[in-house]
Amino acid sequence: MDTHRFLVREISKSVQSLHEENRAWAIYHGPSHTLKRLPDRATIIRTTDLHNILNINMQCKFALVEPNVTISDLVQKTLNHGLMPIVVPSFPSLTVGGCFAGTAAGSGSSKFGYFDQGVAWVEVVLADGRITRASRTRNVDLLEGLVGSLGTVGIVTLLQVRLVPAARFVEVEYFPIKGVGRLIEVLERAAKDTENDFVEGLMIGVVVVGRLFAKKGKEMVTFSNPHDRWFYMHALEAEKKIEKVRMLDYLFRHDRGAFCLGETCFGRIPFRPWTRWATDSAMREASLIRVVQELQWADHLVMQDVVVPVDAAAEVLDHLDSNMGRFPLALCPVRQWPENSVVMRPNPRSAELCMSITVRGWSDDSIKDAKKFRDQTREVEKKVYELGGIKWLYSRNYYSEEEFWNTYSKEDYDNLRSKYNAGYLPSVYHKSKTPDMPPRSRRAAKVKVKGFWNQVFTWSSVLAVRHRAQKT
């Protein structure tokens, strides 16, 4: 704890000095999942050393966690004590601070809502350098304002994360479904069943329900080994059946292939069990995100996560199908409490159950034409806003400033930043907006490709194949 206090004081001193000079700063916490090309900042506040779990309290069921601890590390340490966070996102390389600030969800969200709803309090370095805490009873507006604001209100340096009893295994049941309406109906019913600990849907079409299970089954199914099938492939071809899965394998079932993103790399390489085995080290989610960032694929690949009221989910899915084509989608019901006010997570319809929709894939139009990709993304943004939903802001965002603040309350956000002296920092709109830059084809020659797999995927990916086909 002494080391933690020292690091936080050093961050506080740096922030205070910059505040006195009225110089904006940016937070650097290490590798990020953002898909945006952020401008270079002359002043960086580094939080990379805040990566420890300081305490796991078994009696009170909470963990004191620094923000750069990965979800994988937190889950593994807490499972050793028979506990786990109330919501665990499916990608192990996500950080606790990122899940809090980025308002993450997971298949446990049908019971508990978003990850941040399991955070009891946070320690924060404010934009003027002061160190304070925000909890459910103290500085409540600050705690809620930090959610989804992407570090534009203050720097979170410590979180108390609520834990719940866990089991060693999960009993996973598959329900093959035909039709969008039927899929959403079954997901909604499964989310309301308190016996279900995890609920997820895959288009098209299966609903996957998980329940904590104490005893090991005779035949255990795994998803983390190089020879295993990727989870979405396994689930979409599953008949109605029940399987036993180790807890870690289930929680991080989408790590291999990053749901279905890894399939993008197999344009010239055959998509077969032996090629997935051979490329396994590059098919983990953290590796694939680096590939997307370094090869600048995010200008052409659809990588979006949206959340809308459950009664609007079918309309969003129809829009995605008609405008982008059909590719695998992951759906997770998300419990909402309309009385809880979060500035950067509006709920204009006061929905008690929403649907998170994960989109990964490409269409022939967007993969060849960056402008077409931009237009398609803009249409998704408009449709989601029209239906009372929001987009996660890690991805490509093309809102105009007026459209952005029609979705979120600028007045509440500005008042919060003014109260905590953060008005001199770039706003969440400017931080999340994708800057206007030349299409990838005009700057491809400037991209420095490093690493063996990056070299391979530059030649082999669907993106490379489509671009070459366009030129010939």
Side-chain angles (χ1 to χ4, degrees), residues 90 92 169-174 200 202 208-210 219-238 241-259 276-277 280 283-285:
S90 298
F169 308 100
V170 178
E171 181 182 76
V172 182
E173 188 169 5
Y174 302 88
E200 179 181 38
L202 298 175
V208 184
V209 171
E219 295 185 7
M220 301 295 297
V221 178
T222 58
F223 304 113
S224 59
N225 299 315
H227 60 270
D228 294 331
R229 302 187 74 192
W230 294 355
F231 177 77
Y232 93 91
M233 300 169 61
H234 175 84
L236 286 175
E237 296 182 10
K241 62 179 178 179
I242 297 176
E243 296 175 334
K244 303 297 188 299
V245 182
R246 294 181 187 278
M247 177 63 79
L248 284 174
D249 270 55
Y250 175 78
L251 292 177
F252 302 129
R253 62 201 177 280
H254 289 306
D255 181 32
R256 295 177 62 250
F259 178 40
R276 293 195 293 275
W277 172 85
D280 184 69
M283 289 295 108
R284 306 287 172 159
E285 179 266 345

Side-chain angles (χ1 to χ4, degrees), residues 411-431:
E411 181 180 0
D412 291 343
Y413 176 74
D414 286 345
N415 287 342
L416 180 75
R417 297 224 303 166
S418 176
K419 179 178 178 180
Y420 293 103
N421 299 315
Y424 71 101
L425 298 176
S427 73
V428 66
Y429 167 74
H430 291 100
K431 185 170 182 178

